[in-house]
Amino acid sequence: MFKKILIANRGEIALRIIRTCREMGIKTVAVYSTADKDSLHVKFADEAVCIGGPKSIESYLNIPHIMAACEITNADAVHPGYGFLAENSKFAQICADHGIKFIGPTPDMINSMGDKITAKETMIKAGVPVVPGGDGLLADVAASKKLAKEIGYPVIIKATAGGGGKGMRVVWNEGEIEKAYEAAKMEAGASFKNDGLYMEKFVEEPRHIEIQVAGDQYGNVCHLSERDCSIQRRHQKLVEESPSPFMTPELRQRMGEAAIKAASAINYESVGTVEFLVDKNRNFYFMEMNTRIQVEHCVTEEVVSYDLIKEQIKIAAGEKISGRNYEPQLHAIECRINAEDPYNDFRPSPGKITVLHTPGGHGVRVDSHVYAGYVIPPYYDSMIGKLITVAQTREEAINTMYRALSEYVIEGVHTTIPFHLQLMQNEDFRKGNFTTKFLESFKMK
Ligand code: MV4
């Protein structure tokens, strides 16, 4: 087992990783930017190293500084968390080259899922359902028009280097193709330095349902059931839950098998997530695979009683997984608490938290790095915590969530708490009646 893990991240996930390391008897090293010197991850780690200025590029994305921090603290592994360098294959390779274990998949595995056309080809070969579409890159506008006619409108143009919605355009008829193609190409080039595009049938009003998987170094792969992440706004998830209210035992069986096929196709090692679009007829299609621990991993932990960070560390250290699959035994919901103003188009609201009271009680988990007096820096994402509730049924989990949200007091900044309070009372949400389009028509009272 590792003796000392350096956590190349900040915020709640850095704290989450430190907590598990403590329980496993592993020493921790925090790295931090000058803007984060008063952060809890710095206080709770065994050692801390400042790696640069406030901007991510100067610190949390600064590979030479992070490698220097590994060297001076003698860390034998790096946990990248999510975001920042978590899916950077060059960083994973540099760690390997320096004899430091990157707690995640190999650079090859990251690359094979990072390019979406390559990932889709791999899935087709593995027998995982994908959205019907063209094979390979779109050559030009004319070729795009021809392909769209074959597929049938509406179609969607996506960036092969994309993910998370950037460089993506829905096209409803031939008249819109040229503009959509040019816009997607520009956006992809600017965002990813790769303007390659591909096309597929547009699945209308889908649900976003993802399957958590784990694979070890010996070829064993299992799944840990699904999370429903359909409650999103501009590709930012706000609420996740497990099980999905749309799930059936038969669909879970089929999606679980498909996710295992997907991970096995690249000999996946570590924990990861296979994202699917699910249409109203319960047809499901591979969308992307995330080769990292995700923000919403907690809902899975609560319903299958499994510490995903602990397993991720054990897998990286060469331990075997049990190989069995995990079914949800309870219902868990997570609300992302962001420093944003839901009455003002979710505008970021950095600043000082003057008053803080955190909810507790039966079935309540709070993963957060903030405290009274903490100043939320403007440089990073606006998530200041995750409120997770767990109960026997979905209705009870929602009721506990409403109760916990009502107890949560955060003053000094705007937060998404009022949004979540209204959502928990929404009739369609309570019925499990929602798709990825749900928040487009949701209005704050
Ligand atoms: C789609 C789609 C419909 N049809 N692909 C959004 C982010 C990127 N990962 C892929 N996305 C989508 N791909 C086809 N063929 C709809 C979306 C989509 C979406 C997916 C999941 C959750 C929220 C979404 C919001 C808008 C669009």
Side-chain angles (χ1 to χ4, degrees):
M1 186 41 70
F2 307 116
K3 290 195 168 57
K4 196 187 272 187
I5 295 177
L6 182 141
I7 297 129
N9 214 302
R10 63 180 300 281
E12 70 83 23
I13 192 65
L15 203 53
R16 169 73 192 81
I17 297 160
I18 290 169
R19 285 175 167 152
T20 284
C21 288
R22 275 266 151 94
E23 292 172 13
M24 296 177 77
I26 300 168
K27 291 263 186 294
T28 54
V29 181
V31 294
Y32 63 99
S33 71
T34 51
D36 276 341
K37 68 175 179 14
D38 299 321
S39 277
L40 277 193
H41 77 285
V42 175
K43 296 181 208 287
F44 285 3
D46 295 301
E47 294 170 73
V49 181
C50 182
I51 52 165
K55 293 195 186 104
S56 299
I57 199 81
E58 303 168 331
S59 48
Y60 300 107
L61 293 173
N62 189 328
I63 297 175
H65 289 192
I66 293 168
M67 297 316 292
C70 286
E71 194 167 315
I72 61 174
T73 58
N74 209 18
D76 49 5
V78 167
H79 197 305
Y82 52 68
F84 297 122
L85 299 170
E87 289 172 290
N88 184 314
S89 61
K90 284 194 190 122
F91 179 58
Q93 186 62 56
I94 290 166
C95 290
D97 292 345
H98 290 79
I100 290 162
K101 180 66 187 177
F102 176 84
I103 301 175
T106 63
D108 283 352
M109 297 170 195
I110 297 173
N111 287 333
S112 64
M113 289 298 175
D115 183 89
K116 305 305 168 202
I117 293 179
T118 308
K120 208 171 163 182
E121 280 167 1
T122 310
M123 292 307 113
I124 293 168
K125 280 195 199 122
V128 177
V130 300
V131 187
D135 48 355
L137 289 169
L138 294 173
D140 53 31
V141 174
S144 303
K145 285 182 180 170
K146 185 162 172 283
L147 179 59
K149 211 169 251 164
E150 285 165 29
I151 296 170
Y153 288 94
V155 296
I156 184 165
I157 295 175
K158 293 183 177 181
T160 189
K166 275 218 183 96
M168 212 175 77
R169 289 292 183 283
V170 179
V171 193
W172 296 90
N173 56 62
E174 190 168 294
E176 295 176 357
I177 281 264
E178 182 160 1
K179 218 176 131 203
Y181 176 92
E182 300 297 350
K185 204 162 188 66
M186 280 289 285
E187 201 172 301
S191 307
F192 314 116
K193 295 180 197 140
N194 173 354
D195 65 1
L197 302 176
Y198 66 106
M199 184 188 285
E200 53 191 31
K201 178 80 186 166
F202 179 60
V203 181
E204 293 182 63
E205 303 203 30
R207 287 180 177 250
H208 172 137
I209 301 180
E210 55 188 35
I211 306 281
Q212 177 71 53
V213 296
D216 66 18
Q217 297 176 14
Y218 313 96
N220 306 301
V221 179
C222 73
H223 79 74
L224 298 103
S225 296
E226 77 281 3
R227 292 183 288 261
D228 193 315
C229 307
S230 301
I231 304 293
Q232 331 198 338
R233 190 183 163 275
R234 300 191 186 159
H235 306 294
Q236 292 293 348
K237 295 169 185 166
L238 278 159
V239 176
E240 304 96 348
E241 64 180 298
S242 181
S244 166
F246 198 61
M247 192 52 68
T248 65
E250 182 262 346
L251 181 61
R252 180 177 297 121
Q253 166 83 26
R254 288 195 293 130
M255 288 182 72
E257 260 174 42
I260 290 174
K261 271 190 201 168
S264 301
I266 59 165
N267 293 312
Y268 193 69
E269 173 202 327
S270 192
V271 300
T273 299
V274 185
E275 295 185 345
F276 293 98
L277 290 171
V278 183
D279 72 16
K280 60 179 185 302
N281 300 317
R282 291 195 170 81
N283 297 306
F284 64 88
Y285 309 96
F286 170 85
M287 189 164 49
E288 310 181 354
M289 179 168 181
N290 299 319
T291 56
R292 60 168 190 276
I293 190 81
Q294 284 180 280
V295 175
E296 62 270 28
H297 73 277
C298 313
V299 297
T300 300
E301 294 189 322
E302 295 305 319
V303 299
V304 302
S305 296
Y306 188 106
D307 182 333
L308 280 160
I309 301 285
K310 188 173 174 180
E311 293 304 317
Q312 191 185 25
I313 293 170
K314 283 163 69 174
I315 289 165
E319 291 190 23
K320 280 200 172 86
I321 59 168
S322 80
R324 74 174 179 96
N325 299 324
Y326 293 76
E327 302 273 322
Q329 304 298 313
L330 294 165
H331 198 103
I333 303 184
E334 171 178 282
C335 289
R336 295 196 189 188
I337 311 302
N338 299 338
E340 293 172 356
D341 183 0
Y343 292 101
N344 234 314
D345 204 30
F346 290 82
R347 183 172 357 157
S349 177
K352 186 174 189 157
I353 295 177
T354 53
V355 177
L356 179 71
H357 174 79
T358 304
H362 184 60
V364 177
R365 167 174 173 181
V366 178
D367 276 23
S368 173
H369 60 291
V370 309
Y371 52 85
Y374 176 77
V375 180
I376 302 158
Y379 307 100
Y380 315 108
D381 74 18
S382 58
M383 197 176 73
I384 52 176
K386 302 180 297 197
L387 173 57
I388 303 110
T389 62
V390 58
Q392 292 282 338
T393 65
R394 181 169 190 270
E395 188 181 8
E396 290 171 293
I398 293 172
N399 292 343
T400 303
M401 182 61 79
Y402 187 82
R403 183 274 289 174
L405 286 162
S406 321
E407 288 176 13
Y408 218 152
V409 180
I410 302 176
E411 286 179 16
V413 296
H414 296 285
T415 76
T416 48
I417 291 170
F419 161 79
H420 290 300
L421 279 166
Q422 292 186 22
L423 181 68
M424 293 304 129
Q425 297 174 90
N426 179 280
E427 201 183 326
D428 282 324
F429 177 76
R430 292 189 75 100
K431 284 186 192 148
N433 195 6
F434 53 80
T435 70
T436 54
K437 277 176 79 86
F438 182 81
L439 291 188
E440 285 178 26
S441 53
F442 186 86
K443 289 274 174 306
M444 291 291 291
K445 290 200 187 75

